[in-house]
């Protein structure tokens, strides 16, 4: 039995699908009362539990051999966000404790490329660069870096655990509309686009799911594997989407200095209207950061082979078109 925490998330529900396609038994751990629609129609054992509830986790682990830990809070907003640190750090420590108590075969922890210390331009980012919570630029980065160090420490003291670090994840089955998913969906809905210059490394969610399984099957205990894809500019991403929908949409490129000025006010705007954030100081710094990222280690040791980003974008457009009824204004 494979336990997947955060199973309704983007990577989580695609990982569940990939495991099921390989004939694996899957138990999906979701929050009590959480929307189950990303798992609709899948032959999966669903159990409700919070990673902050140690006893509930212990119960969820019964009969489980392998654990894929993906549950967590992702945020590009500024500020401390105590719940983020609580879930991402303490929740992971509870996952580790339950693994020790129940004697599972292997733990695969999904960290983030942002948990790794940011490297200046001109340096290729790979697994030789350490996790570094002290130099994190956001509460999210800090939480993922600290949780990653906790998993490494557990691996060094006897727990069979490996870590995978995806880059920017995009692709089909994006039920909750990730940041890039929002942009692609807006294009599918023929909405005008506002953007800033920048680029980042994006990876197909389906390749991440396969990479996680490969890390479980072939990864070395206590090792970290970067699951990156391909670097692409925001402009080229938009143009690829336009090509897929057969329409060139009105766009406005915001100068960088103006975008940075707007980020003084955007967090308050997103919080007041309870909107998913897109333009924040964090998102700007990410698009301007060094995104020359190597997946050579995962390729060599795991057989990891990400597909071209154009294929991912086209498939994502197709998925949003086929599922546009899910995202129509109510």
């Amino acid at each position: 039995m494979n336990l997947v925490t955060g199973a309704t998330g983007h990577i989580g529900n695609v990982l569940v699908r990939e495991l099921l396609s390989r004939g694996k038994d899957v138990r999906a751990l979701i929050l009590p009362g959480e929307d189950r629609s990303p798992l609709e129609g899948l032959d999966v054992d669903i159990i409700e539990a919070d990673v902050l509830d140690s006893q509930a986790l212990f119960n969820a682990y019964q009969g489980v051999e392998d654990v894929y830990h993906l549950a967590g809070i992702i945020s590009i907003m500024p500020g401390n966000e105590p719940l983020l640190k609580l879930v991402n750090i303490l929740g992971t420590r509870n996952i580790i404790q339950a693994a020790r108590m129940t004697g599972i075969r292997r733990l695969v922890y999904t960290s983030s490329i942002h948990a790794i210390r940011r490297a200046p331009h001109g340096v290729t980012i790979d697994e030789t660069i350490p996790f570094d919570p002290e130099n994190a630029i956001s509460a999210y980065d800090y939480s993922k870096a600290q949780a990653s160090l906790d998993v490494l420490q557990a691996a060094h003291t006897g727990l069979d655990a490996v870590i995978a670090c995806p880059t920017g994840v995009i692709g089909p089955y994006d039920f909750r509309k990730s940041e890039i998913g929002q942009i692609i969906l807006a294009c599918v809905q023929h909405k005008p686009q506002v953007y800033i210059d920048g680029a980042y490394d994006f990876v197909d969610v389906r390749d991440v799911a396969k990479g996680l399984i490969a890390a479980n099957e072939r990864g070395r205990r206590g090792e970290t594997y970067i699951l990156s894809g391909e670097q692409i500019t925001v402009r080229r991403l938009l143009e690829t989407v336009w090509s897929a929908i057969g329409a060139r949409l009105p766009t406005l490129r915001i100068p960088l200095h103006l975008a940075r000025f707007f980020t003084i006010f955007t967090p308050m705007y997103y919080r007041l209207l309870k909107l998913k954030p897109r333009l924040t100081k964090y998102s700007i710094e990410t698009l301007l950061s060094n995104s020359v990222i190597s997946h050579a280690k995962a390729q060599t040791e795991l057989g990891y082979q990400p597909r071209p980003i154009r294929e991912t974008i086209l498939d994502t457009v197709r998925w949003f078109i086929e599922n546009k009824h899910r995202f129509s204004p109510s």
Side-chain angles (χ1 to χ4, degrees), residues 193-198 234-235 238 242 251-255 278:
Q193 291 295 298
V194 175
Y195 75 98
I196 63 170
D197 285 330
V234 176
R235 180 70 188 188
L238 288 172
W242 297 340
T251 60
L252 174 64
R253 183 181 65 84
I254 301 178
R278 281 178 55 180

Side-chain angles (χ1 to χ4, degrees), residues 16-302:
V16 169
R17 294 169 196 276
E18 183 64 28
L19 287 167
L20 290 174
S21 74
R22 300 183 185 205
K24 305 290 187 180
D25 293 326
V26 180
R27 178 173 295 159
L29 188 145
I30 67 174
L31 283 170
E34 187 175 4
D35 177 18
R36 301 185 179 193
S37 57
L39 302 176
E40 185 179 349
L42 301 181
D43 184 16
V44 59
D45 175 26
I46 297 178
I47 185 167
E48 293 188 343
D50 192 321
V51 294
L52 298 179
D53 185 338
S54 298
Q55 183 59 51
L57 279 181
F58 179 81
N59 295 337
Y61 273 51
Q62 300 307 306
V64 167
E65 292 183 347
D66 299 329
V67 174
Y68 293 89
H69 178 40
L70 295 93
I73 297 176
I74 300 173
S75 176
I76 63 171
M77 293 285 274
N80 194 19
E81 299 193 64
L83 183 60
L84 183 151
K85 291 184 179 179
L86 195 64
V87 171
N88 292 356
I89 299 175
L90 180 58
T92 301
R93 289 173 181 170
N94 288 343
I95 287 286
I96 292 169
Q97 180 186 37
R100 290 190 186 282
M101 293 174 63
T102 55
I104 64 156
R105 190 188 73 86
R106 169 160 276 192
L107 168 65
V108 180
Y109 173 56
T110 302
S111 182
S112 167
I113 195 66
H114 299 297
I116 295 172
R117 180 190 299 160
R118 297 210 177 194
H121 288 276
V123 175
T124 298
I125 298 170
D126 63 16
E127 293 86 351
T128 64
I129 301 174
F131 297 114
D132 189 359
E134 299 309 315
N135 287 288
I137 69 167
S138 73
Y140 173 72
D141 291 9
Y142 173 88
S143 69
K144 297 300 283 188
Q146 184 57 59
S148 299
L149 291 177
D150 290 338
V151 174
L152 287 182
Q153 177 61 28
H156 293 156
T157 55
L159 182 67
D160 192 342
V162 294
I163 298 176
C165 293
T167 54
V169 177
I170 63 174
Y173 307 105
D174 192 357
F175 292 92
R176 293 181 178 171
K177 296 181 293 182
S178 61
E179 282 78 15
I180 298 299
Q182 289 182 79
I183 294 172
I184 295 174
L185 176 60
C187 289
V188 168
Q189 296 172 335
H190 286 234
K191 295 179 180 178
Q193 291 295 298
V194 175
Y195 75 98
I196 63 170
D197 285 330
Y200 204 63
D201 184 293
F202 294 102
V203 62
D204 193 296
V205 66
R206 295 165 295 184
D207 294 327
V208 172
K210 291 177 181 177
L212 291 173
I213 296 171
N216 182 26
E217 294 176 346
R218 299 193 287 277
R220 290 180 290 133
R221 188 179 86 179
E223 292 292 325
T224 298
Y225 298 93
I226 290 176
L227 305 180
S228 60
E230 182 180 334
Q231 189 187 61
I232 185 173
T233 66
V234 176
R235 180 70 188 188
R236 188 160 75 87
L237 188 150
L238 288 172
E239 289 172 347
T240 305
V241 175
W242 297 340
S243 173
I245 65 175
R248 189 179 184 86
L249 303 178
T251 60
L252 174 64
R253 183 181 65 84
I254 301 178
L256 186 57
H257 70 277
L258 194 57
R260 282 183 165 140
F261 174 75
F262 286 153
T263 62
I264 300 173
F265 310 102
T266 52
M268 183 182 299
Y269 169 78
Y270 294 131
R271 288 188 177 108
L272 284 174
L273 297 185
K274 297 182 178 178
L275 297 174
K276 196 162 190 174
R278 281 178 55 180
L279 180 64
T280 64
K281 181 180 178 181
Y282 183 91
S283 63
I284 291 175
E285 294 307 315
T286 296
L287 289 175
L288 297 179
S289 67
N290 174 17
S291 55
V292 178
I293 303 169
S294 171
H295 55 257
K297 180 179 177 181
Q299 184 172 352
T300 300
E301 297 190 18
L302 308 180

